Amino acid sequence: MKKLTFFATTLLAAWMLQACNGGNNHAKHEDAVDSAQAVNKETAPVDKESSDFAVEAANGGMMEVEAGKMAQERAVSQRVKDFAAMMVRDHSKANDELKALAQSKNITLPDSVSGDAKDHIDKMAKMSGRDFDKHYMDMMVDDHDKDVDKFDKAAGKLSDPDLKTWASNTLPTLRVHQDSAKAIKDALKK
């Protein structure tokens, strides 16, 4: 237990030092995901595959909410705005469920999106009009294609029964998002 406390204190101190490095936001955001994975590797609250899935799902969920909030403000198509509102609502709910589950299992989740997701959101912030709508919907189709695949695999093969059940229960909502995103993307081409 002393080793675990020492490791957690050391990791927290290192993270705080890195977080104070205000000039490099990319490193800060990348560290949130990397730090969560490092803590989970050291403490092993569940098997690596299950904890990695939880961290990736949390990162993806936070990115969906941030991008959705931006799309609610910037999109010109009402259909895109409505889809974005659904993303914020559904992914916020899933994020809350995952946080509670992770907390009960002592799985560390990131507190902010990864550097890649943050860079993508920053790039989107510079877009407007139909270009924004098309880009956002392209991103939503790609993300949900990947998410459905990851959650389908997780629902079938994760060792942790609670995360496996959460993935299985979240999958139908992700499939609705995937179908909606594809339909809206196709409509925007016209």
Side-chain angles (χ1 to χ4, degrees):
M1 188 64 181
K2 286 182 181 179
K3 282 184 180 179
L4 179 61
T5 303
F6 174 75
F7 175 75
T9 304
T10 304
L11 186 61
L12 180 61
W15 179 80
M16 288 173 66
L17 283 172
Q18 181 64 33
C20 290
N21 180 13
N24 191 348
N25 277 343
H26 180 80
K28 177 183 173 190
H29 289 290
E30 197 65 56
D31 280 343
V33 172
D34 292 344
S35 293
Q37 288 176 328
V39 170
N40 291 331
K41 182 178 179 182
E42 184 66 28
T43 61
V46 294
D47 64 285
K48 181 178 178 352
E49 189 175 17
S50 295
S51 65
D52 284 353
F53 169 75
V55 169
E56 287 177 23
N59 184 54
M62 287 186 295
M63 191 274 304
E64 296 285 359
V65 171
E66 282 189 40
K69 286 177 180 177
M70 183 185 302
Q72 284 179 293
E73 294 173 12
R74 292 183 161 272
V76 291
S77 163
Q78 189 58 48
R79 239 177 125 181
V80 173
K81 287 179 183 243
D82 293 343
F83 178 84
M86 179 174 65
M87 292 299 94
V88 171
R89 181 188 67 239
D90 292 351
H91 283 281
S92 292
K93 179 180 181 261
N95 291 350
D96 290 344
E97 291 169 357
L98 180 57
K99 283 178 195 172
L101 180 58
Q103 187 175 15
S104 75
K105 296 184 167 291
N106 294 319
I107 299 170
T108 300
L109 297 178
D111 62 356
S112 59
V113 295
S114 69
D116 289 342
K118 178 70 174 141
D119 289 347
H120 194 82
I121 289 169
D122 290 346
K123 180 181 172 187
M124 284 176 53
K126 297 174 184 167
M127 298 178 174
S128 61
R130 289 185 54 79
D131 289 339
F132 177 91
D133 289 9
K134 287 180 180 182
H135 180 83
Y136 175 68
M137 293 316 302
D138 285 346
M139 183 179 98
M140 289 297 99
V141 169
D142 291 344
D143 284 353
H144 284 88
D145 285 348
K146 291 173 189 169
D147 290 347
V148 166
D149 185 53
K150 283 181 191 174
F151 275 70
D152 192 39
K153 287 177 182 170
K157 70 176 189 170
L158 281 184
S159 338
D160 184 87
D162 298 324
L163 281 169
K164 188 175 185 175
T165 298
W166 179 78
S168 180
N169 291 343
T170 306
L171 194 52
T173 301
L174 293 175
R175 286 193 171 119
V176 168
H177 294 173
Q178 181 184 39
D179 291 343
S180 296
K182 287 178 180 178
I184 295 167
K185 179 182 173 179
D186 289 345
L188 289 175
K189 289 179 184 175
K190 297 175 183 174

